């Protein structure tokens, strides 16, 4: 199968006198390099200019909160099981009375750590999560000179209550459509649940 | 007499500073040229367009830790880079940088010493430069450095022969060894390169080998000999070796321009409506343009052609360039005899 039209058959023949001089070949090479002086550089001046990334770029993780500001993660551990690089570890704890505004369900992650040096940003954690809690964002993980700093705990992973991270760019139309299916428990918000309960009462 | 000494001192200092400045900015230009040829941007962080990069590099070189191996010969270890730097700087004195500058009754030539054996002096000093490399490699007491130094010096000595032979033909034509005289003869557009194209080509190739530039940069051989003759060198002593290379490029560009490309002569300069000091300054600028072109040419070739293998390098030097140079001498002699110029 022909893939390109640049195929060249290698022939082991004696070089002609002109070829043996090498000078025409050198001149040819030099015109090529000279032409490159006037070409546009391919460099992206990183700190000033950021390269455009695709909408589905998988960068640093975020642990989402729900619409009431409670953490969605219930420390089920499915993300850690799904993780091929074994980058995720967590400790589960039971929600105490009075913490209902902090954690969405009775179980929550007391410790949730992702080792960014191990993570391969495959996105399987995001797919495995039944609670829509973990997502990969378009943010690039900053570098560090220290290995310890690269283990991201909840302080770095859980989104800020006041500045929720917009993930709409990352969602494919299929996912958006699926999330509208309120019969799936993990797609329900507290409001939805209230509405459903009311509906059930009426029936 | 006092004015003469003062003037020469100032000129020596100027040539010294210009050599250092051009060499420093050659390192920057090298990186920029390489970057543009590879569709990159190159250094642009230090100052606008990165023009302070040589200063930053120099500062870094001076601040770095200096290591002298305990098993090395300390005196020779320090002498090596000093010699390389010294010989690189010494050749600049015979280059004619421009015409005369007349102030009052005095006439100041823009050349430090117009000695009548100018080219011989250059060759003497350049061949002395081999000692810098050889001593540096030997004093390191490291067999890789030693092998690197051997390679470097045998390369330089081999190519000096072809270079000298190429020059013989030129000297047959000019009839003088004085660089000032050779440049004065090239008034007008008929530069020596027109009469000696083959000689120029041989001289150019040898100049590449003499300055240890690609494709003949075998003294530096990261893959085969760790780092070549300067493996054990660190900090500014390594800097001196690298810096000497750039000064050598500058001086060889100046010498190629003066020998084959008319030196400071501007074509049709006698028909220009200016003369005297203004013309001298213009000539100096024009000469510098030629030098800068050749420095660029050195870089252009470096970022185009891959390095030779060592046996190929020796084959080219001994089996091709030397016979060609001898042929050139013969051809020049026959032509001169046929044209009745002997």
């Amino acid at each position: 199968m022909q893939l390109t039209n640049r195929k060249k058959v290698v022939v082991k023949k004696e070089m002609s006198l002109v070829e043996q001089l090498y000078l025409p070949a050198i001149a040819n090479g030099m015109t090529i390099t000279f032409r490159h002086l006037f070409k546009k550089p391919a460099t992206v001046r990183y700190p000033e200019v950021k390269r455009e990334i695709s909408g589905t770029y998988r960068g640093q993780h975020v642990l989402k909160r729900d619409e009431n500001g409670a953490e969605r993660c219930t420390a089920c551990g499915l993300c850690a099981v799904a993780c091929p690089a074994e980058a995720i570890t967590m400790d589960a704890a039971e929600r105490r009375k009075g913490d209902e505004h902090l954690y969405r369900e009775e179980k929550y992650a007391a410790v949730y750590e992702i080792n960014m040096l191990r993570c391969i940003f495959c996105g399987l954690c995001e797919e495995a999560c039944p609670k829509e809690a973990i997502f990969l964002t378009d943010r690039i993980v900053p570098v560090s000179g220290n290995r310890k700093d690269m283990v991201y705990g909840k302080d770095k992973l859980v989104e800020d209550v006041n500045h929720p991270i917009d993930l709409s760019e990352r969602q494919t139309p299929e996912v958006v459509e699926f999330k509208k299916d309120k019969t799936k428990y993990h797609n329900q918000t507290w409001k939805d649940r209230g509405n459903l309960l009311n509906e059930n009462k009426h029936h | 007499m006092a004015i003469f000494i003062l003037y020469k001192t100032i000129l020596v200092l100027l040539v010294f500073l210009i050599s250092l400045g051009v060499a420093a900015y050659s390192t920057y230009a090298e990186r920029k040229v390489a970057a543009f040829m590879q569709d990159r941007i190159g250094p642009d962080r230090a100052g606008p367009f990165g023009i302070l990069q040589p200063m930053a590099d120099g500062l870094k070189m001076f601040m770095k830790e200096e290591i002298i191996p305990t098993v090395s010969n300390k005196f020779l270890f320090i002498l090596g880079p000093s010699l390389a730097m010294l010989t690189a700087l010494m050749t600049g004195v015979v280059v004619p940088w421009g015409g005369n500058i007349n102030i009052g009754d005095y006439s100041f030539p823009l050349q430090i010493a117009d000695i009548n054996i100018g080219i011989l002096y250059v060759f003497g000093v350049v061949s002395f430069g081999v000692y810098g490399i050889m001593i540096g490699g030997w004093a390191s007491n490291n067999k890789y450095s030693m092998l690197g130094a051997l390679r470097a010096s045998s390369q330089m000595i081999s190519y000096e022969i072809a270079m000298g032979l190429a020059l013989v033909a030129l000297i047959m034509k000019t009839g003088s060894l004085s660089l000032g005289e050779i440049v004065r003869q090239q008034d007008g557009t008929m530069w020596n390169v027109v009469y000696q194209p083959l000689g120029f080509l041989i001289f150019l190739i040898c100049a590449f080998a003499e300055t240890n530039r690609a494709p003949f940069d075998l003294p530096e051989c990261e893959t085969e000999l760790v780092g070549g003759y300067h493996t054990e060198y660190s900090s500014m002593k390594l800097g001196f070796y690298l810096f000497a290379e750039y000064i050598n490029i500058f001086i060889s560009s100046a010498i190629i321009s003066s020998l084959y490309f008319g030196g400071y002569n501007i074509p049709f300069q006698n028909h220009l409506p200016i003369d005297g000091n203004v013309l001298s300054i213009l000539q100096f600028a024009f000469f510098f343009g030629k030098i800068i072109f050749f420095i660029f040419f050195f870089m252009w070739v470096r970022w185009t052609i891959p390095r030779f293998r060592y046996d190929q390098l020796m084959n080219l030097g001994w089996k091709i360039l030397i016979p060609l140079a001898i042929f050139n001498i013969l051809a020049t002699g026959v032509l001169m005899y046929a044209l009745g110029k002997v």
Side-chain angles (χ1 to χ4, degrees), chain A residues 98-134:
Chain A
D99 281 353
E100 285 83 359
H101 64 290
L102 289 178
Y103 311 109
R104 191 175 180 183
E105 311 209 7
E106 288 79 9
K107 201 172 130 215
Y108 73 97
V111 176
Y112 193 103
E113 283 179 346
I114 302 177
N115 187 337
M116 290 297 174
L117 295 172
R118 300 199 63 145
C119 180
I120 57 170
F121 302 95
C122 61
L124 289 186
C125 48
E126 179 183 322
E127 270 179 46
C129 185
K131 299 290 179 188
E132 301 283 331
I134 190 163

Side-chain angles (χ1 to χ4, degrees), chain A residues 23-186:
Chain A
L23 289 176
I26 288 171
N28 190 17
M30 286 175 69
T31 46
I32 290 172
T33 43
F34 194 75
R35 249 183 271 143
H36 275 266
L37 282 177
F38 307 103
K39 285 192 180 163
K40 207 173 147 273
T43 316
V44 179
R45 294 156 176 263
Y46 169 60
E48 291 96 33
V49 183
K50 294 214 167 59
R51 208 171 93 187
E52 217 172 285
I53 51 174
S54 113
T56 51
Y57 180 85
R58 295 191 292 246
Q60 189 190 321
H61 312 67
V62 65
L63 286 171
K64 292 292 283 180
R65 294 173 184 273
D66 66 5
E67 64 286 350
N68 295 321
E71 286 175 21
R72 301 179 77 111
C73 178
T74 63
C76 65
L78 283 179
C79 50
V81 173
C83 182
E86 303 194 352
I88 304 178
T89 51
M90 66 184 72
D91 272 345
E94 201 177 331
R95 183 176 69 186
R96 308 215 172 181
K97 238 189 167 49
D99 281 353
E100 285 83 359
H101 64 290
L102 289 178
Y103 311 109
R104 191 175 180 183
E105 311 209 7
E106 288 79 9
K107 201 172 130 215
Y108 73 97
V111 176
Y112 193 103
E113 283 179 346
I114 302 177
N115 187 337
M116 290 297 174
L117 295 172
R118 300 199 63 145
C119 180
I120 57 170
F121 302 95
C122 61
L124 289 186
C125 48
E126 179 183 322
E127 270 179 46
C129 185
K131 299 290 179 188
E132 301 283 331
I134 190 163
F135 286 98
L136 284 93
T137 62
D138 57 355
R139 289 180 300 171
I140 294 162
V141 178
V143 291
S144 166
N146 187 346
R147 296 186 81 88
K148 270 188 208 151
D149 293 345
M150 296 306 282
V151 178
Y152 279 30
K154 278 181 84 175
D155 53 327
K156 284 179 181 164
L157 292 171
V158 180
E159 70 178 343
D160 190 346
V161 188
N162 302 318
H163 303 283
I165 291 164
D166 179 27
L167 294 167
S168 49
E169 279 271 299
R170 288 242 326 114
Q171 315 260 311
T172 59
E174 291 77 22
V175 172
V176 173
E177 200 54 43
F178 177 75
K179 281 190 180 161
K180 285 180 186 158
D181 181 6
K182 297 294 181 189
T183 59
K184 297 278 185 297
Y185 184 71
H186 61 260

